[in-house]
Amino acid sequence: MSTLQDVAERDGWRCWVCDEPVDPAMPVNDPRGPSVDSRTADRKSKLPERLAHRACNTRKGAVKVVIPWPDRLNVLEPAPLITVADRLDRKGGRELVARCPARKDAQEAADWLVDRFSRLTPNLPLTATVDTGGGQYLVTLSTTRR
């Protein structure tokens, strides 16, 4: 089991759930304070402990964690990111994660996904591609890891 300081420094003092900064000066019992989260109840998961706000960690105990897509992104049928991360980590390959009406929207989503996954699953090397299909733009994540 890692210490709070070790986990926080490794994660750059960012909450893995909401991706917002965690203030190291906050008391650990404050809702915005730091806490160590084992991330999932899945015992087969190879994921290490992660830093989370106390409120994010507590809330995820009651409901399944959902990593939100930012409202600023214009995406249709966005995939659930925790499910995508787990599947790509377990099986590798490619996964379609969103459709967008314009190439600019798709590229913005692809850039955000690569950045967000770099913190969500730091040991999973991902690339994002934008392809055309059916009059729309498809955002795909892929990894060679299996």
PDB file of all heavy atoms in Angstrom, residues 101-139:
ATOM      1  N   PRO A 101     -19.643  15.823 -35.975  1.00  0.00           N
ATOM      2  CA  PRO A 101     -20.160  16.368 -37.227  1.00  0.00           C
ATOM      3  C   PRO A 101     -19.105  17.059 -38.087  1.00  0.00           C
ATOM      4  O   PRO A 101     -19.288  17.195 -39.292  1.00  0.00           O
ATOM      5  CB  PRO A 101     -21.238  17.352 -36.772  1.00  0.00           C
ATOM      6  CG  PRO A 101     -20.859  17.723 -35.382  1.00  0.00           C
ATOM      7  CD  PRO A 101     -20.146  16.529 -34.812  1.00  0.00           C
ATOM      8  N   ALA A 102     -18.000  17.497 -37.493  1.00  0.00           N
ATOM      9  CA  ALA A 102     -16.969  18.217 -38.252  1.00  0.00           C
ATOM     10  C   ALA A 102     -15.584  17.689 -37.880  1.00  0.00           C
ATOM     11  O   ALA A 102     -15.368  17.225 -36.750  1.00  0.00           O
ATOM     12  CB  ALA A 102     -17.045  19.711 -37.954  1.00  0.00           C
ATOM     13  N   ARG A 103     -14.650  17.777 -38.825  1.00  0.00           N
ATOM     14  CA  ARG A 103     -13.287  17.307 -38.569  1.00  0.00           C
ATOM     15  C   ARG A 103     -12.657  18.054 -37.396  1.00  0.00           C
ATOM     16  O   ARG A 103     -11.971  17.453 -36.563  1.00  0.00           O
ATOM     17  CB  ARG A 103     -12.410  17.454 -39.811  1.00  0.00           C
ATOM     18  CG  ARG A 103     -10.977  16.969 -39.557  1.00  0.00           C
ATOM     19  CD  ARG A 103     -10.115  16.960 -40.793  1.00  0.00           C
ATOM     20  NE  ARG A 103     -10.465  15.915 -41.728  1.00  0.00           N
ATOM     21  CZ  ARG A 103     -10.137  14.630 -41.601  1.00  0.00           C
ATOM     22  NH1 ARG A 103      -9.489  14.224 -40.540  1.00  0.00           N
ATOM     23  NH2 ARG A 103     -10.466  13.763 -42.517  1.00  0.00           N
ATOM     24  N   LYS A 104     -12.891  19.364 -37.312  1.00  0.00           N
ATOM     25  CA  LYS A 104     -12.330  20.157 -36.219  1.00  0.00           C
ATOM     26  C   LYS A 104     -12.827  19.623 -34.866  1.00  0.00           C
ATOM     27  O   LYS A 104     -12.047  19.495 -33.929  1.00  0.00           O
ATOM     28  CB  LYS A 104     -12.734  21.624 -36.388  1.00  0.00           C
ATOM     29  CG  LYS A 104     -12.232  22.536 -35.299  1.00  0.00           C
ATOM     30  CD  LYS A 104     -12.723  23.968 -35.544  1.00  0.00           C
ATOM     31  CE  LYS A 104     -12.404  24.870 -34.399  1.00  0.00           C
ATOM     32  NZ  LYS A 104     -13.311  24.753 -33.278  1.00  0.00           N
ATOM     33  N   ASP A 105     -14.109  19.297 -34.773  1.00  0.00           N
ATOM     34  CA  ASP A 105     -14.670  18.743 -33.534  1.00  0.00           C
ATOM     35  C   ASP A 105     -14.015  17.405 -33.197  1.00  0.00           C
ATOM     36  O   ASP A 105     -13.680  17.136 -32.045  1.00  0.00           O
ATOM     37  CB  ASP A 105     -16.180  18.533 -33.667  1.00  0.00           C
ATOM     38  CG  ASP A 105     -16.941  19.826 -33.864  1.00  0.00           C
ATOM     39  OD1 ASP A 105     -16.487  20.878 -33.376  1.00  0.00           O
ATOM     40  OD2 ASP A 105     -17.998  19.779 -34.522  1.00  0.00           O
ATOM     41  N   ALA A 106     -13.841  16.571 -34.207  1.00  0.00           N
ATOM     42  CA  ALA A 106     -13.244  15.249 -33.997  1.00  0.00           C
ATOM     43  C   ALA A 106     -11.794  15.365 -33.555  1.00  0.00           C
ATOM     44  O   ALA A 106     -11.351  14.631 -32.661  1.00  0.00           O
ATOM     45  CB  ALA A 106     -13.360  14.419 -35.274  1.00  0.00           C
ATOM     46  N   GLN A 107     -11.043  16.278 -34.154  1.00  0.00           N
ATOM     47  CA  GLN A 107      -9.640  16.443 -33.780  1.00  0.00           C
ATOM     48  C   GLN A 107      -9.528  16.977 -32.352  1.00  0.00           C
ATOM     49  O   GLN A 107      -8.677  16.542 -31.579  1.00  0.00           O
ATOM     50  CB  GLN A 107      -8.911  17.366 -34.748  1.00  0.00           C
ATOM     51  CG  GLN A 107      -7.410  17.387 -34.534  1.00  0.00           C
ATOM     52  CD  GLN A 107      -6.790  15.996 -34.658  1.00  0.00           C
ATOM     53  OE1 GLN A 107      -6.933  15.336 -35.674  1.00  0.00           O
ATOM     54  NE2 GLN A 107      -6.096  15.544 -33.615  1.00  0.00           N
ATOM     55  N   GLU A 108     -10.415  17.894 -31.987  1.00  0.00           N
ATOM     56  CA  GLU A 108     -10.419  18.417 -30.622  1.00  0.00           C
ATOM     57  C   GLU A 108     -10.733  17.301 -29.618  1.00  0.00           C
ATOM     58  O   GLU A 108     -10.098  17.189 -28.570  1.00  0.00           O
ATOM     59  CB  GLU A 108     -11.452  19.544 -30.499  1.00  0.00           C
ATOM     60  CG  GLU A 108     -11.370  20.309 -29.215  1.00  0.00           C
ATOM     61  CD  GLU A 108     -12.336  21.484 -29.173  1.00  0.00           C
ATOM     62  OE1 GLU A 108     -12.714  22.007 -30.228  1.00  0.00           O
ATOM     63  OE2 GLU A 108     -12.718  21.864 -28.052  1.00  0.00           O
ATOM     64  N   ALA A 109     -11.683  16.446 -29.955  1.00  0.00           N
ATOM     65  CA  ALA A 109     -12.021  15.316 -29.090  1.00  0.00           C
ATOM     66  C   ALA A 109     -10.846  14.337 -28.995  1.00  0.00           C
ATOM     67  O   ALA A 109     -10.521  13.837 -27.911  1.00  0.00           O
ATOM     68  CB  ALA A 109     -13.263  14.598 -29.606  1.00  0.00           C
ATOM     69  N   ALA A 110     -10.201  14.058 -30.121  1.00  0.00           N
ATOM     70  CA  ALA A 110      -9.062  13.136 -30.133  1.00  0.00           C
ATOM     71  C   ALA A 110      -7.923  13.666 -29.261  1.00  0.00           C
ATOM     72  O   ALA A 110      -7.333  12.915 -28.478  1.00  0.00           O
ATOM     73  CB  ALA A 110      -8.586  12.917 -31.566  1.00  0.00           C
ATOM     74  N   ASP A 111      -7.633  14.957 -29.378  1.00  0.00           N
ATOM     75  CA  ASP A 111      -6.569  15.559 -28.568  1.00  0.00           C
ATOM     76  C   ASP A 111      -6.907  15.490 -27.082  1.00  0.00           C
ATOM     77  O   ASP A 111      -6.054  15.174 -26.254  1.00  0.00           O
ATOM     78  CB  ASP A 111      -6.327  17.013 -28.985  1.00  0.00           C
ATOM     79  CG  ASP A 111      -5.757  17.132 -30.395  1.00  0.00           C
ATOM     80  OD1 ASP A 111      -5.245  16.127 -30.936  1.00  0.00           O
ATOM     81  OD2 ASP A 111      -5.853  18.239 -30.965  1.00  0.00           O
ATOM     82  N   TRP A 112      -8.182  15.779 -26.741  1.00  0.00           N
ATOM     83  CA  TRP A 112      -8.604  15.713 -25.342  1.00  0.00           C
ATOM     84  C   TRP A 112      -8.485  14.284 -24.815  1.00  0.00           C
ATOM     85  O   TRP A 112      -8.028  14.067 -23.700  1.00  0.00           O
ATOM     86  CB  TRP A 112     -10.050  16.223 -25.183  1.00  0.00           C
ATOM     87  CG  TRP A 112     -10.526  16.082 -23.777  1.00  0.00           C
ATOM     88  CD1 TRP A 112     -10.245  16.912 -22.726  1.00  0.00           C
ATOM     89  CD2 TRP A 112     -11.323  15.010 -23.245  1.00  0.00           C
ATOM     90  NE1 TRP A 112     -10.829  16.428 -21.572  1.00  0.00           N
ATOM     91  CE2 TRP A 112     -11.501  15.264 -21.863  1.00  0.00           C
ATOM     92  CE3 TRP A 112     -11.910  13.880 -23.796  1.00  0.00           C
ATOM     93  CZ2 TRP A 112     -12.239  14.424 -21.032  1.00  0.00           C
ATOM     94  CZ3 TRP A 112     -12.642  13.043 -22.973  1.00  0.00           C
ATOM     95  CH2 TRP A 112     -12.799  13.315 -21.605  1.00  0.00           C
ATOM     96  N   LEU A 113      -8.887  13.305 -25.609  1.00  0.00           N
ATOM     97  CA  LEU A 113      -8.833  11.905 -25.184  1.00  0.00           C
ATOM     98  C   LEU A 113      -7.409  11.448 -24.880  1.00  0.00           C
ATOM     99  O   LEU A 113      -7.165  10.796 -23.866  1.00  0.00           O
ATOM    100  CB  LEU A 113      -9.451  11.000 -26.252  1.00  0.00           C
ATOM    101  CG  LEU A 113     -10.967  11.009 -26.310  1.00  0.00           C
ATOM    102  CD1 LEU A 113     -11.442  10.431 -27.636  1.00  0.00           C
ATOM    103  CD2 LEU A 113     -11.556  10.246 -25.135  1.00  0.00           C
ATOM    104  N   VAL A 114      -6.476  11.780 -25.742  1.00  0.00           N
ATOM    105  CA  VAL A 114      -5.082  11.392 -25.515  1.00  0.00           C
ATOM    106  C   VAL A 114      -4.574  12.023 -24.220  1.00  0.00           C
ATOM    107  O   VAL A 114      -3.933  11.354 -23.396  1.00  0.00           O
ATOM    108  CB  VAL A 114      -4.193  11.774 -26.718  1.00  0.00           C
ATOM    109  CG1 VAL A 114      -2.714  11.633 -26.378  1.00  0.00           C
ATOM    110  CG2 VAL A 114      -4.546  10.915 -27.923  1.00  0.00           C
ATOM    111  N   ASP A 115      -4.887  13.306 -24.013  1.00  0.00           N
ATOM    112  CA  ASP A 115      -4.462  13.987 -22.795  1.00  0.00           C
ATOM    113  C   ASP A 115      -5.117  13.360 -21.562  1.00  0.00           C
ATOM    114  O   ASP A 115      -4.452  13.067 -20.568  1.00  0.00           O
ATOM    115  CB  ASP A 115      -4.809  15.475 -22.882  1.00  0.00           C
ATOM    116  CG  ASP A 115      -4.420  16.217 -21.627  1.00  0.00           C
ATOM    117  OD1 ASP A 115      -3.223  16.232 -21.288  1.00  0.00           O
ATOM    118  OD2 ASP A 115      -5.330  16.781 -20.970  1.00  0.00           O
ATOM    119  N   ARG A 116      -6.428  13.115 -21.610  1.00  0.00           N
ATOM    120  CA  ARG A 116      -7.167  12.576 -20.459  1.00  0.00           C
ATOM    121  C   ARG A 116      -6.723  11.151 -20.134  1.00  0.00           C
ATOM    122  O   ARG A 116      -6.536  10.793 -18.981  1.00  0.00           O
ATOM    123  CB  ARG A 116      -8.677  12.605 -20.747  1.00  0.00           C
ATOM    124  CG  ARG A 116      -9.527  12.155 -19.585  1.00  0.00           C
ATOM    125  CD  ARG A 116      -9.358  13.094 -18.392  1.00  0.00           C
ATOM    126  NE  ARG A 116     -10.229  12.736 -17.292  1.00  0.00           N
ATOM    127  CZ  ARG A 116      -9.850  12.037 -16.224  1.00  0.00           C
ATOM    128  NH1 ARG A 116      -8.603  11.614 -16.117  1.00  0.00           N
ATOM    129  NH2 ARG A 116     -10.695  11.751 -15.267  1.00  0.00           N
ATOM    130  N   PHE A 117      -6.527  10.326 -21.157  1.00  0.00           N
ATOM    131  CA  PHE A 117      -6.085   8.948 -20.926  1.00  0.00           C
ATOM    132  C   PHE A 117      -4.659   8.889 -20.398  1.00  0.00           C
ATOM    133  O   PHE A 117      -4.289   7.933 -19.733  1.00  0.00           O
ATOM    134  CB  PHE A 117      -6.242   8.100 -22.188  1.00  0.00           C
ATOM    135  CG  PHE A 117      -7.588   7.443 -22.309  1.00  0.00           C
ATOM    136  CD1 PHE A 117      -8.721   8.191 -22.605  1.00  0.00           C
ATOM    137  CD2 PHE A 117      -7.733   6.081 -22.111  1.00  0.00           C
ATOM    138  CE1 PHE A 117      -9.960   7.598 -22.696  1.00  0.00           C
ATOM    139  CE2 PHE A 117      -8.973   5.472 -22.201  1.00  0.00           C
ATOM    140  CZ  PHE A 117     -10.097   6.237 -22.493  1.00  0.00           C
ATOM    141  N   SER A 118      -3.841   9.912 -20.691  1.00  0.00           N
ATOM    142  CA  SER A 118      -2.474   9.921 -20.161  1.00  0.00           C
ATOM    143  C   SER A 118      -2.482   9.993 -18.638  1.00  0.00           C
ATOM    144  O   SER A 118      -1.536   9.557 -17.985  1.00  0.00           O
ATOM    145  CB  SER A 118      -1.668  11.086 -20.749  1.00  0.00           C
ATOM    146  OG  SER A 118      -2.084  12.327 -20.199  1.00  0.00           O
ATOM    147  N   ARG A 119      -3.559  10.526 -18.059  1.00  0.00           N
ATOM    148  CA  ARG A 119      -3.696  10.566 -16.603  1.00  0.00           C
ATOM    149  C   ARG A 119      -4.595   9.449 -16.085  1.00  0.00           C
ATOM    150  O   ARG A 119      -4.404   8.943 -14.995  1.00  0.00           O
ATOM    151  CB  ARG A 119      -4.236  11.924 -16.160  1.00  0.00           C
ATOM    152  CG  ARG A 119      -3.231  13.056 -16.347  1.00  0.00           C
ATOM    153  CD  ARG A 119      -3.751  14.374 -15.853  1.00  0.00           C
ATOM    154  NE  ARG A 119      -4.968  14.811 -16.513  1.00  0.00           N
ATOM    155  CZ  ARG A 119      -5.024  15.348 -17.727  1.00  0.00           C
ATOM    156  NH1 ARG A 119      -3.916  15.496 -18.427  1.00  0.00           N
ATOM    157  NH2 ARG A 119      -6.165  15.736 -18.253  1.00  0.00           N
ATOM    158  N   LEU A 120      -5.577   9.069 -16.870  1.00  0.00           N
ATOM    159  CA  LEU A 120      -6.498   8.012 -16.451  1.00  0.00           C
ATOM    160  C   LEU A 120      -5.812   6.647 -16.424  1.00  0.00           C
ATOM    161  O   LEU A 120      -5.944   5.885 -15.475  1.00  0.00           O
ATOM    162  CB  LEU A 120      -7.709   7.976 -17.389  1.00  0.00           C
ATOM    163  CG  LEU A 120      -8.790   6.948 -17.088  1.00  0.00           C
ATOM    164  CD1 LEU A 120      -9.408   7.204 -15.725  1.00  0.00           C
ATOM    165  CD2 LEU A 120      -9.862   6.995 -18.170  1.00  0.00           C
ATOM    166  N   THR A 121      -5.081   6.328 -17.482  1.00  0.00           N
ATOM    167  CA  THR A 121      -4.340   5.061 -17.577  1.00  0.00           C
ATOM    168  C   THR A 121      -2.916   5.371 -18.046  1.00  0.00           C
ATOM    169  O   THR A 121      -2.572   5.172 -19.212  1.00  0.00           O
ATOM    170  CB  THR A 121      -5.012   4.091 -18.575  1.00  0.00           C
ATOM    171  OG1 THR A 121      -5.155   4.758 -19.829  1.00  0.00           O
ATOM    172  CG2 THR A 121      -6.355   3.635 -18.087  1.00  0.00           C
ATOM    173  N   PRO A 122      -2.079   5.884 -17.145  1.00  0.00           N
ATOM    174  CA  PRO A 122      -0.758   6.374 -17.549  1.00  0.00           C
ATOM    175  C   PRO A 122       0.168   5.331 -18.176  1.00  0.00           C
ATOM    176  O   PRO A 122       1.060   5.680 -18.926  1.00  0.00           O
ATOM    177  CB  PRO A 122      -0.157   6.927 -16.258  1.00  0.00           C
ATOM    178  CG  PRO A 122      -1.015   6.460 -15.157  1.00  0.00           C
ATOM    179  CD  PRO A 122      -2.320   6.039 -15.724  1.00  0.00           C
ATOM    180  N   ASN A 123      -0.044   4.056 -17.905  1.00  0.00           N
ATOM    181  CA  ASN A 123       0.841   3.025 -18.460  1.00  0.00           C
ATOM    182  C   ASN A 123       0.318   2.412 -19.756  1.00  0.00           C
ATOM    183  O   ASN A 123       0.882   1.445 -20.248  1.00  0.00           O
ATOM    184  CB  ASN A 123       1.065   1.927 -17.428  1.00  0.00           C
ATOM    185  CG  ASN A 123       1.781   2.452 -16.209  1.00  0.00           C
ATOM    186  OD1 ASN A 123       2.638   3.317 -16.307  1.00  0.00           O
ATOM    187  ND2 ASN A 123       1.417   1.948 -15.046  1.00  0.00           N
ATOM    188  N   LEU A 124      -0.750   2.972 -20.297  1.00  0.00           N
ATOM    189  CA  LEU A 124      -1.335   2.447 -21.525  1.00  0.00           C
ATOM    190  C   LEU A 124      -1.029   3.407 -22.677  1.00  0.00           C
ATOM    191  O   LEU A 124      -1.584   4.496 -22.744  1.00  0.00           O
ATOM    192  CB  LEU A 124      -2.854   2.290 -21.360  1.00  0.00           C
ATOM    193  CG  LEU A 124      -3.604   1.672 -22.525  1.00  0.00           C
ATOM    194  CD1 LEU A 124      -3.171   0.224 -22.744  1.00  0.00           C
ATOM    195  CD2 LEU A 124      -5.106   1.734 -22.265  1.00  0.00           C
ATOM    196  N   PRO A 125      -0.119   3.025 -23.580  1.00  0.00           N
ATOM    197  CA  PRO A 125       0.223   3.913 -24.697  1.00  0.00           C
ATOM    198  C   PRO A 125      -0.909   3.948 -25.733  1.00  0.00           C
ATOM    199  O   PRO A 125      -1.206   2.933 -26.363  1.00  0.00           O
ATOM    200  CB  PRO A 125       1.498   3.284 -25.280  1.00  0.00           C
ATOM    201  CG  PRO A 125       1.398   1.834 -24.910  1.00  0.00           C
ATOM    202  CD  PRO A 125       0.624   1.766 -23.624  1.00  0.00           C
ATOM    203  N   LEU A 126      -1.542   5.106 -25.877  1.00  0.00           N
ATOM    204  CA  LEU A 126      -2.677   5.244 -26.787  1.00  0.00           C
ATOM    205  C   LEU A 126      -2.406   6.248 -27.887  1.00  0.00           C
ATOM    206  O   LEU A 126      -1.673   7.209 -27.691  1.00  0.00           O
ATOM    207  CB  LEU A 126      -3.905   5.762 -26.022  1.00  0.00           C
ATOM    208  CG  LEU A 126      -4.633   4.813 -25.110  1.00  0.00           C
ATOM    209  CD1 LEU A 126      -5.733   5.545 -24.369  1.00  0.00           C
ATOM    210  CD2 LEU A 126      -5.227   3.676 -25.897  1.00  0.00           C
ATOM    211  N   THR A 127      -3.038   6.014 -29.013  1.00  0.00           N
ATOM    212  CA  THR A 127      -3.083   7.010 -30.078  1.00  0.00           C
ATOM    213  C   THR A 127      -4.539   7.194 -30.464  1.00  0.00           C
ATOM    214  O   THR A 127      -5.343   6.272 -30.343  1.00  0.00           O
ATOM    215  CB  THR A 127      -2.266   6.584 -31.320  1.00  0.00           C
ATOM    216  OG1 THR A 127      -2.752   5.322 -31.768  1.00  0.00           O
ATOM    217  CG2 THR A 127      -0.787   6.479 -31.005  1.00  0.00           C
ATOM    218  N   ALA A 128      -4.857   8.384 -30.921  1.00  0.00           N
ATOM    219  CA  ALA A 128      -6.218   8.690 -31.376  1.00  0.00           C
ATOM    220  C   ALA A 128      -6.151   9.048 -32.848  1.00  0.00           C
ATOM    221  O   ALA A 128      -5.245   9.753 -33.286  1.00  0.00           O
ATOM    222  CB  ALA A 128      -6.803   9.840 -30.576  1.00  0.00           C
ATOM    223  N   THR A 129      -7.109   8.540 -33.610  1.00  0.00           N
ATOM    224  CA  THR A 129      -7.183   8.864 -35.029  1.00  0.00           C
ATOM    225  C   THR A 129      -8.574   9.376 -35.360  1.00  0.00           C
ATOM    226  O   THR A 129      -9.551   9.060 -34.680  1.00  0.00           O
ATOM    227  CB  THR A 129      -6.877   7.636 -35.912  1.00  0.00           C
ATOM    228  OG1 THR A 129      -7.780   6.585 -35.563  1.00  0.00           O
ATOM    229  CG2 THR A 129      -5.448   7.154 -35.732  1.00  0.00           C
ATOM    230  N   VAL A 130      -8.630  10.173 -36.420  1.00  0.00           N
ATOM    231  CA  VAL A 130      -9.896  10.705 -36.922  1.00  0.00           C
ATOM    232  C   VAL A 130     -10.056  10.183 -38.339  1.00  0.00           C
ATOM    233  O   VAL A 130      -9.187  10.381 -39.180  1.00  0.00           O
ATOM    234  CB  VAL A 130      -9.896  12.249 -36.906  1.00  0.00           C
ATOM    235  CG1 VAL A 130     -11.155  12.789 -37.549  1.00  0.00           C
ATOM    236  CG2 VAL A 130      -9.735  12.768 -35.487  1.00  0.00           C
ATOM    237  N   ASP A 131     -11.168   9.489 -38.597  1.00  0.00           N
ATOM    238  CA  ASP A 131     -11.464   8.939 -39.920  1.00  0.00           C
ATOM    239  C   ASP A 131     -12.829   9.442 -40.374  1.00  0.00           C
ATOM    240  O   ASP A 131     -13.685   9.762 -39.548  1.00  0.00           O
ATOM    241  CB  ASP A 131     -11.481   7.405 -39.870  1.00  0.00           C
ATOM    242  CG  ASP A 131     -10.149   6.824 -39.434  1.00  0.00           C
ATOM    243  OD1 ASP A 131      -9.133   7.143 -40.076  1.00  0.00           O
ATOM    244  OD2 ASP A 131     -10.129   6.077 -38.444  1.00  0.00           O
ATOM    245  N   THR A 132     -13.029   9.476 -41.673  1.00  0.00           N
ATOM    246  CA  THR A 132     -14.343   9.861 -42.196  1.00  0.00           C
ATOM    247  C   THR A 132     -15.171   8.606 -42.418  1.00  0.00           C
ATOM    248  O   THR A 132     -14.638   7.530 -42.696  1.00  0.00           O
ATOM    249  CB  THR A 132     -14.213  10.629 -43.524  1.00  0.00           C
ATOM    250  OG1 THR A 132     -13.525   9.803 -44.455  1.00  0.00           O
ATOM    251  CG2 THR A 132     -13.461  11.925 -43.341  1.00  0.00           C
ATOM    252  N   GLY A 133     -16.474   8.781 -42.287  1.00  0.00           N
ATOM    253  CA  GLY A 133     -17.359   7.651 -42.514  1.00  0.00           C
ATOM    254  C   GLY A 133     -18.810   8.072 -42.424  1.00  0.00           C
ATOM    255  O   GLY A 133     -19.242   8.634 -41.426  1.00  0.00           O
ATOM    256  N   GLY A 134     -19.550   7.867 -43.486  1.00  0.00           N
ATOM    257  CA  GLY A 134     -20.982   8.162 -43.474  1.00  0.00           C
ATOM    258  C   GLY A 134     -21.311   9.629 -43.287  1.00  0.00           C
ATOM    259  O   GLY A 134     -22.301   9.951 -42.643  1.00  0.00           O
ATOM    260  N   GLY A 135     -20.490  10.526 -43.801  1.00  0.00           N
ATOM    261  CA  GLY A 135     -20.751  11.952 -43.670  1.00  0.00           C
ATOM    262  C   GLY A 135     -20.420  12.513 -42.299  1.00  0.00           C
ATOM    263  O   GLY A 135     -20.848  13.618 -41.952  1.00  0.00           O
ATOM    264  N   GLN A 136     -19.679  11.777 -41.500  1.00  0.00           N
ATOM    265  CA  GLN A 136     -19.286  12.244 -40.178  1.00  0.00           C
ATOM    266  C   GLN A 136     -17.826  11.871 -39.941  1.00  0.00           C
ATOM    267  O   GLN A 136     -17.195  11.230 -40.772  1.00  0.00           O
ATOM    268  CB  GLN A 136     -20.179  11.608 -39.117  1.00  0.00           C
ATOM    269  CG  GLN A 136     -20.157  10.096 -39.145  1.00  0.00           C
ATOM    270  CD  GLN A 136     -21.299   9.485 -38.380  1.00  0.00           C
ATOM    271  OE1 GLN A 136     -21.980  10.164 -37.635  1.00  0.00           O
ATOM    272  NE2 GLN A 136     -21.515   8.208 -38.538  1.00  0.00           N
ATOM    273  N   TYR A 137     -17.314  12.253 -38.802  1.00  0.00           N
ATOM    274  CA  TYR A 137     -15.923  11.967 -38.457  1.00  0.00           C
ATOM    275  C   TYR A 137     -15.895  11.066 -37.230  1.00  0.00           C
ATOM    276  O   TYR A 137     -16.571  11.336 -36.241  1.00  0.00           O
ATOM    277  CB  TYR A 137     -15.157  13.276 -38.234  1.00  0.00           C
ATOM    278  CG  TYR A 137     -15.113  14.074 -39.509  1.00  0.00           C
ATOM    279  CD1 TYR A 137     -16.132  14.968 -39.812  1.00  0.00           C
ATOM    280  CD2 TYR A 137     -14.101  13.887 -40.431  1.00  0.00           C
ATOM    281  CE1 TYR A 137     -16.122  15.671 -41.002  1.00  0.00           C
ATOM    282  CE2 TYR A 137     -14.083  14.581 -41.623  1.00  0.00           C
ATOM    283  CZ  TYR A 137     -15.103  15.476 -41.907  1.00  0.00           C
ATOM    284  OH  TYR A 137     -15.093  16.158 -43.085  1.00  0.00           O
ATOM    285  N   LEU A 138     -15.140   9.996 -37.331  1.00  0.00           N
ATOM    286  CA  LEU A 138     -15.093   8.978 -36.286  1.00  0.00           C
ATOM    287  C   LEU A 138     -13.780   9.094 -35.516  1.00  0.00           C
ATOM    288  O   LEU A 138     -12.702   9.155 -36.124  1.00  0.00           O
ATOM    289  CB  LEU A 138     -15.211   7.591 -36.904  1.00  0.00           C
ATOM    290  CG  LEU A 138     -16.378   7.395 -37.874  1.00  0.00           C
ATOM    291  CD1 LEU A 138     -16.285   6.040 -38.537  1.00  0.00           C
ATOM    292  CD2 LEU A 138     -17.701   7.575 -37.161  1.00  0.00           C
ATOM    293  N   VAL A 139     -13.869   9.103 -34.199  1.00  0.00           N
ATOM    294  CA  VAL A 139     -12.693   9.177 -33.337  1.00  0.00           C
ATOM    295  C   VAL A 139     -12.438   7.777 -32.780  1.00  0.00           C
ATOM    296  O   VAL A 139     -13.314   7.179 -32.156  1.00  0.00           O
ATOM    297  CB  VAL A 139     -12.886  10.185 -32.192  1.00  0.00           C
ATOM    298  CG1 VAL A 139     -11.632  10.254 -31.329  1.00  0.00           C
ATOM    299  CG2 VAL A 139     -13.250  11.557 -32.741  1.00  0.00           C
TER     300      VAL A 139
END
